[in-house]
Amino acid sequence: VQLQASGGGLVQAGGSLRLSCAASGSIFKINVMGWYRRAPGKQRDLLATINSDNSTVYADSMKGRFTISRDNAKNTVYLQMNSLKPEDTAIYYCYADAARAWFAPNRDYWGQGTLVTVSS
């Protein structure tokens, strides 16, 4: 299973970006998909997760500004980010808890990360 994240870039404070992450390869089932980020000099933080039934969990600090969604037909997860702040500058990583075959165990797969830079 490969994950390809896209949609990062440079945006001014108050602006919006939509990140996408598409899973490809040998996929039997994708359970949870989600987004993390790592800001410069900081640890990786969980932002949001979404299950295959579209139930979601958000980090408290992300509620109201970020929205996670998912297209199961496309094996793609999205992160809509609004009202961006300079402190949102980070590398954003997607992940998927998935099984590549019916006999394979679930495991986490990670995308390569996409850089979001928010200017003041």
Side-chain angles (χ1 to χ4, degrees):
V1 179
Q2 295 82 44
L3 298 179
Q4 180 68 46
S6 61
L10 175 64
V11 63
Q12 288 188 332
S16 298
L17 281 176
R18 189 193 194 206
L19 305 183
S20 299
C21 177
S24 62
S26 178
I27 300 172
F28 173 69
K29 182 180 181 181
I30 299 178
N31 302 303
V32 181
M33 302 186 82
W35 291 93
Y36 283 75
R37 72 182 181 188
R38 187 190 299 273
K42 296 187 177 182
Q43 66 181 15
R44 187 178 63 189
D45 291 326
L46 173 66
L47 300 178
T49 61
I50 184 167
N51 289 319
S52 56
D53 63 359
N54 287 320
S55 59
T56 59
V57 175
Y58 290 92
D60 287 342
S61 58
M62 298 299 118
K63 291 180 180 178
R65 294 196 301 127
F66 290 7
T67 302
I68 191 170
S69 60
R70 174 173 176 168
D71 186 333
N72 290 327
K74 296 181 178 179
N75 291 327
T76 299
V77 63
Y78 305 96
L79 187 67
Q80 177 68 42
M81 305 186 294
N82 299 327
S83 302
L84 284 164
K85 306 173 183 179
E87 51 264 43
D88 293 319
T89 294
I91 299 175
Y92 286 70
Y93 298 91
C94 59
Y95 90 99
D97 173 70
R100 61 178 179 82
W102 66 268
F103 53 83
N106 295 333
R107 54 156 288 189
D108 287 345
Y109 295 88
W110 290 88
Q112 84 287 1
T114 185
L115 177 63
V116 172
T117 304
V118 184
S119 63
S120 57

